Amino acid sequence: MSAEAADREAVSGSRPCTPPQASCFEFLLDPSLLEQHLRGLHPGICLVPQSHQFLEQASKPSVNEQNQVQPPADNRRNRTLKLMALKVAAHLTWDLNLLEKGLTIPVLNMLLNEFLCVSRVPPGVKHVDLDLSTLPPTTAMAVLIYNRWAIRTIVLSSFPEKQTKPGPHQLNILVQQEKELTENILSVLREQATDSITVLEGALNIKKDFYIHTLRSLDLLAADPSTANGETESSTAGLRISADHLHCQVHYDLGGIYFQQGCSDPSVYEKAKEHFRKARELLTKLDSSASLCCVDEQRLAGYWSACKTLTETSDPGESQHTPYGQISCFMRNHDYGALIEAFIRDNVTLSLPHSFRHSIQLELLHKLQQGDRALEEVCHKLCVCNAVRDALEGGVLGVSFHQLLIKPSKNTISFLLEVCTRSLDKEHRSETSKRKMAIFIKTVCNRLEDVSLAFMVSSHKLFMELLQDEEKKILMEQMRKSSATVNLSAKPLPSFYDIPASASVNISQLEQQLILSLDPRHIRQILIELHGMAERPFWRVNSKWEVPVDYVNVILAIKDNLTRDLVYILMAKGLHCISIKDFAHARQLFTACLELVTEFSPKLRQVMLNELLLMEVRGHEAGAAEGNMERPPPDLVSRVRGYLEMRIHDLPLRQIVGEECVVFMLNWRENEYLTLQVPQSLVNSNPYIKLGQLIASTCKELPGPKESRRTAKELWEVVVQICSVSSQHKRSSDGRVSLLKQRESSMGILPRASSINLQYDFGLQEPLVLTTLISLFVRLHNIVRDDIVNEVTAEHISIWPSSLANLQSVDVEAVVVTLKELVNYALSLNPNNQLWLCTQADIYFEYHQKLIYFTNSIQKVKLVYYIHSLHTD
């Protein structure tokens, strides 16, 4: 045997052969051929498309002699085709799971309506008016199957749908027509939902067995309906369905529709829970090998877990055995101490998924933002627990943890060290875990500005055990250098202020006063005394005094040494106060500096006006983040516009001022200005302003997808260029995700070696802007991942291009990290946004974290997790 023949033999023997497909015409010529065909097929072969094929042929319109389109004729051919479609469904024992997967809503609606006709359901009578107990068993069963499908379809239609990729124009027209037909059917089903629920609840009162049509009973009806009716009434020709099988299925379907209705009426969750409870009880009684009851047991378990959470009831015994039950119980009883202990234990067992833990943190953070200040310490501790878990799994530390490290308390650092110690399994410490923990501790040391806290970490036993000698030596040296200076934001000691100007003090004492003081007049007085003692640059006293590189040359060019020191120090202290949101002291320092430079330098005067503007913009945005949603005063908006339109030759400009002005305008929906009035020269010279203009244009033209495609495409091209493969994503010192461009942009938007910080987006607070950016990155993510089964969903996704000319040029990891951070940031602003939560759920699902997510109320979506497999084959 040749190698080629052996290969063919191996392939043919490795899977069942698919019989050659017979055409509709062969079945029409010999109806008995269909039954032989169905029995001869391998059980794994899907038969549903054949049912679709029969119905499609039977519903084709005809054309008369005058070329007029006529509805499908009621002739023998079409009746036979419809019967064959029903036979395929009967062969599948009317399994709605299979039929729903293989047939569209319009086709399945046509099939079930034909099923009602064949089953002798009285025409023109509402199903709710029928007494099922008096109908023939097969007729009653047909009514139940139709109404089960009706409420199941309503539930399935409420889930997010994957966007279909556009195809040829003719195909798009057909898709649109089918979509409109589907919406019409769904509209009718929703109107009749109450009747369908009543019909199914009535069936639960019928204790006798039911019968469903089989191939034989359908043949009898087709042969002689008058004689077959008696046989079907006596239930001798159908397949018997026990009452328990039917009730289990009906309870499951009713639970699903009630759960779906709970988003508008939370009290309905009790009904859903009761139906799911009965479905679970009946399922345990039934033969697990029986194929007649097609209940998704994993989804049922998810529904049951969700209902217990939403109705705030649980089985204490069960709560003790499941991590989800324990967490739910702690949250319900406000036992936050036990909740934190559970999170610390989970850092060792790793039983709770990352997504679930962070959703708990987000929920408590939302309560904190609503005014429950008692939760502040709890949120900090959960943030620490989740950060340690992320570190042990080699994940990226979240923005919230980096923000916590900006100004932590001693208790926070003490708790962090305790969590680190307890999270390392003493008996099974792997070298990988120890190394990851060492990197985490080193990161914490590097981020702490308070030297005393850094020494607190470095003196801990974990620091001594886990870090290598060279690492410890480098870190200790860095901390010693930092300890030589005093924190700029520290408040001045009263004794220093009490020293009179004529007192005999040495230079080091005055320098210490200079470091500690935030009073502009006192700073000037100290500098006068220092310059009287020694002629040297006192702006170098503190290594933490930094001014932007753009201003250094202008300030150091001041000829008078005292004035140069004073301008430099006032600006450096003011900038630091802004970074810690001490806007009162920042305003005093900047105002004093403005008065000083106005006397001799118009250029520095404009520089200080720009910095004062940036300070006021940040101050107003900080207020908005804390809940003050008053619009900015017209004067501030006018000054922002003036800055964006300013053209002064040789004036040093900080790029961040323009960036934050654009963010400010986007947050307050000044889209008209950004799209029409920003000078083109500024747009061309600043990539962030160009990006902001494109975002504003896209948002302004939403929700009209056709009109917004042009600007959306421009924004898409800019972001794709930022995420090119030559980019390196990294974390800056403030925890933001950055992309560093290393080549010249072909569009001229990004200059060579410019640092494009995508956290710029994260300064945004306007929901439509965030939704637009999430939508863009979701589309880009779906394209680069190229996984149709697990595509992520988002709003307005259709406005973006559906393909990339050069797919290999995009850095997939950068896109994934940015999308996750962007969605997490958006949810930190509004944890109840349903569309953002659905996007986050899709992201979790794609990355092997199986879950079921359900709506909880009009404003809130709960993600209820049911982990049935952490590793798929």
Side-chain angles (χ1 to χ4, degrees):
M1 181 184 294
S2 66
E4 185 179 352
D7 289 341
R8 285 198 302 270
E9 180 70 21
V11 170
S12 62
S14 63
R15 60 174 181 243
C17 295
T18 302
Q21 295 294 316
S23 69
C24 292
F25 301 105
E26 294 180 68
F27 295 128
L28 282 171
L29 294 172
D30 184 4
S32 64
L33 183 62
L34 176 63
E35 189 169 348
Q36 298 174 16
H37 177 70
L38 293 176
R39 289 176 178 172
L41 288 179
H42 188 271
I45 296 176
C46 182
L47 303 171
V48 179
Q50 288 189 318
S51 182
H52 187 183
Q53 184 184 13
F54 294 141
L55 287 173
E56 184 180 36
Q57 291 294 328
S59 59
K60 275 188 176 180
S62 58
V63 180
N64 61 15
E65 297 176 355
Q66 289 77 32
N67 281 336
Q68 294 175 331
V69 178
Q70 302 293 320
D74 183 17
N75 53 33
R76 182 179 177 184
R77 170 189 177 274
N78 288 344
R79 286 194 297 270
T80 303
L81 286 169
K82 291 176 183 178
L83 181 64
M84 288 193 292
L86 293 173
K87 284 186 175 183
V88 174
H91 181 75
L92 298 172
T93 62
W94 303 94
D95 186 339
L96 288 179
N97 288 331
L98 294 175
L99 294 174
E100 286 165 347
K101 288 178 182 178
L103 298 177
T104 62
I105 290 176
V107 175
L108 189 48
N109 180 62
M110 186 192 312
L111 177 69
L112 293 180
N113 273 290
E114 186 63 27
F115 184 42
L116 293 174
C117 294
V118 169
S119 300
R120 303 291 192 273
V121 175
V125 180
K126 288 186 176 181
H127 292 177
V128 72
D129 296 330
L130 296 172
D131 184 356
L132 298 184
S133 61
T134 63
L135 294 176
T138 50
T139 304
M141 194 65 184
V143 173
L144 293 179
I145 288 177
Y146 178 85
N147 286 281
R148 279 184 51 221
W149 168 76
I151 64 171
R152 287 165 62 101
T153 302
I154 294 171
V155 173
L156 290 174
S157 67
S158 67
F159 294 161
E161 292 184 356
K162 302 295 182 184
Q163 295 290 331
T164 56
K165 295 185 177 181
H169 178 68
Q170 192 67 27
L171 181 60
N172 289 341
I173 294 176
L174 295 175
V175 170
Q176 184 61 30
Q177 290 174 346
E178 182 171 327
K179 186 176 180 181
E180 292 174 359
L181 181 57
T182 300
E183 285 301 320
N184 292 337
I185 294 172
L186 286 173
S187 177
V188 174
L189 295 179
R190 292 186 185 111
E191 290 176 4
Q192 299 174 352
T194 304
D195 289 351
S196 294
I197 292 172
T198 303
V199 169
L200 294 175
E201 287 182 333
L204 296 174
N205 299 322
I206 302 175
K207 305 304 180 183
K208 65 180 182 179
D209 293 343
F210 290 78
Y211 287 79
I212 192 170
H213 276 302
T214 60
L215 273 70
R216 178 172 177 269
S217 65
L218 290 172
D219 277 333
L220 290 172
L221 285 172
D224 189 352
S226 60
T227 59
N229 193 41
E231 186 172 358
T232 54
E233 281 186 5
S234 62
S235 310
T236 59
L239 176 66
R240 187 174 69 86
I241 306 294
S242 71
D244 283 347
H245 272 105
L246 180 67
H247 289 174
C248 180
Q249 187 71 66
V250 170
H251 279 303
Y252 174 76
D253 293 335
L254 284 172
I257 189 67
Y258 281 132
F259 194 97
Q260 190 261 343
Q261 292 176 350
C263 63
S264 55
D265 183 6
S267 63
V268 180
Y269 286 127
E270 289 289 351
K271 290 184 179 180
K273 188 185 74 169
E274 183 62 19
H275 281 293
F276 288 135
R277 182 187 66 79
K278 291 180 178 178
R280 282 162 54 91
E281 290 177 356
L282 288 170
L283 201 58
T284 58
K285 293 166 54 179
L286 299 175
D287 182 4
S288 59
S289 63
S291 61
L292 301 178
C293 186
C294 305
V295 171
D296 186 336
E297 295 186 38
Q298 292 177 343
R299 183 172 288 271
L300 175 59
Y303 271 129
W304 177 246
S305 175
C307 285
K308 288 192 299 180
T309 301
L310 296 171
T311 57
E312 298 190 348
T313 58
S314 63
D315 180 1
E318 186 176 356
S319 296
Q320 297 300 320
H321 293 92
T322 64
Y324 294 103
Q326 290 179 348
I327 299 299
S328 175
C329 183
F330 297 151
M331 290 289 287
R332 187 166 53 253
N333 298 330
H334 307 293
D335 190 354
Y336 299 123
L339 176 69
I340 292 166
E341 283 296 314
F343 271 48
I344 296 175
R345 289 194 302 270
D346 184 65
N347 284 352
V348 178
T349 61
L350 306 179
S351 58
L352 294 173
H354 169 279
S355 50
F356 179 75
R357 292 170 57 113
H358 280 270
S359 72
I360 296 294
Q361 181 184 336
L362 278 175
E363 185 171 342
L364 293 178
L365 181 62
H366 180 58
K367 291 181 180 179
L368 174 63
Q369 292 170 344
Q370 289 181 326
D372 191 350
R373 304 307 302 175
L375 290 176
E376 184 171 11
E377 183 181 358
V378 177
C379 289
H380 288 171
K381 288 185 175 181
L382 287 181
C383 180
V384 168
C385 291
N386 285 336
V388 174
R389 167 70 178 272
D390 292 340
L392 288 172
E393 292 186 330
V396 178
L397 298 179
V399 175
S400 58
F401 180 69
H402 285 282
Q403 291 173 338
L404 182 62
L405 288 183
I406 292 176
K407 202 173 181 181
S409 66
K410 183 177 180 181
N411 288 338
T412 300
I413 299 302
S414 177
F415 177 75
L416 184 147
L417 293 171
E418 177 191 350
V419 174
C420 289
T421 303
R422 294 176 59 187
S423 298
L424 277 180
D425 189 350
K426 296 180 180 179
E427 298 180 0
H428 305 93
R429 283 188 183 183
S430 67
E431 289 301 319
T432 304
S433 297
K434 290 193 286 186
R435 188 62 200 146
K436 287 177 180 177
M437 184 63 79
I439 294 172
F440 176 70
I441 293 174
K442 189 165 68 171
T443 301
V444 172
C445 275
N446 286 328
R447 288 300 310 276
L448 290 174
E449 294 185 5
D450 190 328
V451 179
S452 63
L453 296 179
F455 276 113
M456 181 178 172
V457 175
S458 64
S459 61
H460 196 269
K461 64 177 183 178
L462 274 183
F463 182 93
M464 300 299 180
E465 291 176 5
L466 301 180
L467 269 70
Q468 299 173 0
D469 291 340
E470 187 64 25
E471 291 176 318
K472 287 187 281 190
K473 181 179 178 181
I474 294 173
L475 279 173
M476 295 299 290
E477 185 63 28
Q478 290 175 348
M479 286 187 284
R480 287 193 187 95
K481 289 180 180 179
S482 299
S483 64
T485 60
V486 183
N487 195 330
L488 180 62
S489 63
K491 292 187 176 180
L493 299 175
S495 60
F496 290 154
Y497 278 102
D498 296 336
I499 300 174
S502 58
S504 176
V505 293
N506 58 36
I507 291 179
S508 61
Q509 289 177 309
L510 287 173
E511 287 179 342
Q512 190 173 19
Q513 292 182 53
L514 183 64
I515 291 170
L516 296 173
S517 180
L518 291 175
D519 181 359
R521 293 187 179 182
H522 189 236
I523 292 170
R524 180 171 185 150
Q525 181 183 1
I526 294 171
L527 282 173
I528 290 173
E529 293 197 32
L530 285 171
H531 277 272
M533 296 178 179
E535 281 298 325
R536 58 186 176 87
F538 289 100
W539 58 270
R540 293 178 175 174
V541 167
N542 191 337
S543 62
K544 291 187 177 181
W545 288 343
E546 295 180 353
V547 300
V549 178
D550 311 81
Y551 303 156
V552 170
N553 292 335
V554 180
I555 295 174
L556 296 184
I558 298 173
K559 294 181 180 179
D560 182 72
N561 293 336
L562 173 61
T563 304
R564 181 180 60 229
D565 287 347
L566 185 55
V567 171
Y568 189 100
I569 293 171
L570 288 175
M571 180 179 285
K573 284 177 176 280
L575 290 170
H576 186 82
C577 287
I578 291 175
S579 70
I580 61 173
K581 298 184 179 180
D582 184 0
F583 297 109
H585 279 118
R587 184 174 286 103
Q588 292 176 11
L589 293 161
F590 278 176
T591 302
C593 191
L594 175 63
E595 292 175 359
L596 176 63
V597 299
T598 299
E599 300 174 1
F600 64 89
S601 175
K603 186 180 292 187
L604 279 174
R605 176 181 180 275
Q606 188 59 55
V607 165
M608 291 313 304
L609 288 173
N610 294 345
E611 291 300 319
L612 276 165
L613 172 63
L614 178 60
M615 180 201 69
E616 293 188 27
V617 165
R618 287 184 174 177
H620 194 276
E621 297 291 66
E626 294 173 0
N628 180 14
M629 299 310 295
E630 291 184 10
R631 284 194 63 81
D635 173 64
L636 180 56
V637 176
S638 176
R639 288 169 60 198
V640 169
R641 291 185 177 187
Y643 176 83
L644 293 177
E645 297 171 7
M646 181 176 59
R647 298 180 184 180
I648 300 178
H649 185 61
D650 290 338
L651 178 68
L653 295 175
R654 277 214 295 161
Q655 181 168 292
I656 194 173
V657 182
E659 295 164 9
E660 298 207 19
C661 283
V662 174
V663 172
F664 176 83
M665 300 297 270
L666 286 171
N667 282 340
W668 297 103
R669 298 190 177 185
E670 294 286 338
N671 294 340
E672 194 75 26
Y673 173 79
L674 285 173
T675 54
L676 299 176
Q677 301 175 36
V678 176
Q680 191 60 38
S681 59
L682 188 63
V683 173
N684 294 335
S685 63
N686 191 318
Y688 288 97
I689 294 177
K690 174 65 175 177
L691 188 59
Q693 185 187 64
L694 291 173
I695 293 171
S697 299
T698 304
C699 292
K700 178 184 171 185
E701 295 174 359
L702 287 174
K706 293 182 179 178
E707 293 77 9
S708 60
R709 284 187 185 275
R710 183 182 59 80
T711 52
K713 185 179 180 182
E714 292 183 35
L715 176 59
W716 169 269
E717 290 173 350
V718 169
V719 173
V720 168
Q721 187 182 37
I722 292 173
C723 297
S724 66
V725 75
S726 60
S727 304
Q728 297 176 348
H729 76 282
K730 64 178 184 178
R731 281 197 177 273
S732 58
S733 60
D734 58 357
R736 297 173 171 182
V737 179
S738 299
L739 296 175
L740 182 63
K741 295 299 298 182
Q742 295 182 334
R743 59 180 175 82
E744 192 70 38
S745 165
S746 60
M747 295 177 62
I749 292 176
L750 304 176
R752 184 181 298 274
S754 64
S755 181
I756 304 303
N757 188 346
L758 290 186
Q759 183 67 20
Y760 157 69
D761 301 339
F762 292 179
L764 297 166
Q765 298 177 22
E766 212 290 310
L768 181 59
V769 175
L770 287 170
T771 296
T772 302
L773 290 171
I774 288 172
S775 171
L776 187 154
F777 275 98
V778 165
R779 171 69 91 181
L780 185 57
H781 170 275
N782 289 343
I783 291 175
V784 298
R785 291 279 295 178
D786 193 23
D787 185 357
I788 298 176
V789 176
N790 293 319
E791 282 190 345
V792 180
T793 58
E795 193 177 14
H796 305 309
I797 199 170
S798 61
I799 68 172
W800 310 110
S802 58
S803 60
L804 283 174
N806 189 1
L807 189 61
Q808 273 66 22
S809 68
V810 178
D811 186 341
V812 178
E813 188 177 358
V815 173
V816 172
V817 169
T818 303
L819 175 59
K820 288 182 178 179
E821 289 283 357
L822 184 55
V823 174
N824 285 338
Y825 170 76
L827 285 172
S828 72
L829 298 177
N830 181 9
N832 295 328
N833 188 298
Q834 295 187 12
L835 295 169
W836 295 346
L837 281 167
C838 287
T839 299
Q840 188 180 57
D842 282 342
I843 294 171
Y844 291 156
F845 186 87
E846 177 166 356
Y847 292 96
H848 307 297
Q849 296 175 10
K850 301 292 180 67
L851 53 89
I852 301 172
Y853 52 93
F854 303 106
T855 45
N856 177 19
S857 66
I858 293 175
Q859 296 180 334
K860 189 165 186 180
V861 172
K862 286 228 178 196
L863 301 182
V864 183
Y865 303 84
Y866 179 69
I867 310 301
H868 61 271
S869 173
L870 292 178
H871 303 285
T872 56
D873 293 333

